[in-house]
Amino acid sequence: MSTRTSSGTARTALVFGLITAAALGLTACAGGEPATAPAGAAGAPAAGKGALPTEDVVAGVRRNEAAVKLLPADVRGRGSFTLASSVATPPSSTYLPDGRTVVGVDADFAAAVGKALGLDVKREVVGFEAILPALGSGKYDVGTGNFGVTEERRKAIDFVTYINDGQGFASRADSPLKAVTDLTQLCGLKVAVNAGTTFERTLEQNKGRCAEAGKPAYEVNVYSETGAIWMSLQQGRSDVVMNTINGVRYAVTQQRNVKFLNEYRRLDVGFAFKKGTPLAPAFQAAVNGLKADGTYDRILRKWGVTGSGIATSRISPPEIPAPTK
């Protein structure tokens, strides 16, 4: 049986804040701007446990004229792009203590690309599950939410990649699990994931493996709030958490009695757009320009995710193959 919870953005922020401050000691961190509310090994940010990295690594980004020339005329004319941003967990995205400023890897890359393209970023916080459909309807120009590039998503969405993250596992420190290299190791256990993610899809698509192995099925507990998956683990309502590699690595450095198990699968992560968008070439050129001028590496170092660097930005590359087990 799956456990589902749902709520608005305000409640998500409140729940996550209560969990991190009172129960888990998990501190949000990143750099960004106020928003309109509705995953090699990557360590914790350089600022250290419980601290917020405050360095502004995008202030010096200069306008990239070659990338600007690739923008559609209407976007150049309005001087901005609309961004639907999912706020989940550091280092990808979270709120500053003011509860409204969105910060993290996603926010820094969006801000840097905006500067390179000479465009203002008009960000709106949107639930993860709602972003891709909203892009398809044309409500927003761009979406961020640590969206992994998959063949299923590529049918309706275009991506411009900027990091490589993926799927990882964590458990309580007293768990006998040391690594999850085969999903049948989860048989009989309760696994906490976020709704609408590649984690939920991977587990649901492979549930039959337990029966084939003569073992009881694992239970997929699905939550809308990222904070809730960690609370379920701490309270014993789940045995394992499956989340982004970088998110899991960061979370276990901030919590007691939790351990990182392993990376299970890598995925390219990118800005998401409506299929056929004319914006993709300009965004790709902007990201590659950030690599050339050093901003790209500064963002990765700030958030302790240098193991997630990519050689070059690509438009909708093929999905990285899943493990065969």
Side-chain angles (χ1 to χ4, degrees), residues 8-323:
T9 301
R11 181 171 178 268
T12 299
L14 175 60
V15 171
F16 187 67
L18 291 174
I19 290 172
T20 58
L24 305 181
L26 175 61
T27 303
C29 48
E33 57 191 47
T36 302
K49 182 174 181 178
L52 303 176
T54 57
E55 180 187 5
D56 187 346
V57 294
V58 305
V61 174
R62 297 181 178 180
R63 183 180 171 100
N64 183 332
E65 295 297 343
V68 171
K69 289 179 180 179
L70 297 173
L71 285 170
D74 63 323
V75 176
R76 276 202 311 269
R78 64 175 136 105
S80 65
F81 64 86
T82 55
L83 172 67
S85 175
S86 170
V87 180
T89 184
S92 177
S93 62
T94 189
Y95 288 103
L96 286 179
D98 63 12
R100 60 188 294 267
T101 303
V102 179
V103 293
V105 173
D106 291 349
D108 277 348
F109 273 114
V113 167
K115 284 180 173 292
L117 295 176
L119 301 175
D120 293 330
V121 182
K122 296 186 179 298
R123 178 186 287 109
E124 183 175 333
V125 173
V126 181
F128 180 89
E129 295 171 272
I131 292 179
L132 298 187
L135 293 173
S137 72
K139 186 175 182 179
Y140 305 100
D141 295 315
V142 190
T144 57
N146 204 281
F147 288 111
V149 179
T150 67
E151 294 306 314
E152 181 179 355
R153 286 174 175 169
R154 289 204 313 155
K155 295 175 183 177
I157 297 293
D158 282 338
F159 293 92
V160 172
T161 60
Y162 57 94
I163 61 168
N164 176 274
D165 196 347
Q167 303 173 340
F169 289 100
S171 68
R172 289 185 301 279
D174 60 359
S175 170
L177 285 171
K178 297 186 183 301
V180 179
T181 57
D182 186 324
L183 294 180
T184 58
Q185 293 171 263
L186 300 173
C187 297
L189 301 180
K190 298 177 180 180
V191 188
V193 299
N194 287 119
T197 60
T198 61
F199 321 117
E200 181 183 12
R201 186 192 67 166
T202 294
L203 293 175
E204 292 293 351
Q205 288 180 339
N206 289 279
K207 261 188 171 180
R209 291 187 183 182
C210 291
E212 293 171 1
K215 299 180 180 181
Y218 50 71
E219 180 177 312
V220 184
N221 292 339
V222 185
Y223 298 91
S224 292
E225 297 99 351
T226 299
I229 69 174
W230 294 106
M231 183 65 84
S232 74
L233 182 69
Q234 293 280 10
Q235 293 181 341
R237 290 180 285 110
S238 296
D239 303 298
V240 179
V241 160
M242 187 179 189
N243 206 269
T244 66
I245 294 168
N246 290 337
V248 171
R249 283 190 180 278
Y250 180 83
V252 300
T253 70
Q254 306 300 306
Q255 300 183 46
R256 296 180 179 178
N257 302 319
V258 176
K259 65 181 180 180
F260 178 78
L261 294 179
N262 62 294
E263 295 184 9
Y264 178 70
R265 179 189 182 188
R266 282 275 170 176
L267 285 171
D268 289 318
V269 172
F271 293 105
F273 304 83
K274 181 179 180 178
K275 192 71 177 176
T277 179
L279 285 170
F283 270 67
Q284 179 190 31
V287 173
N288 285 328
L290 297 174
K291 288 189 66 66
D293 70 16
T295 302
Y296 184 92
D297 288 337
R298 285 192 289 273
I299 293 174
L300 297 190
R301 287 196 298 269
K302 174 182 177 179
W303 295 106
V305 294
T306 53
S308 283
I310 57 176
T312 186
S313 176
R314 295 190 290 169
I315 297 175
S316 298
E319 177 179 353
I320 297 174

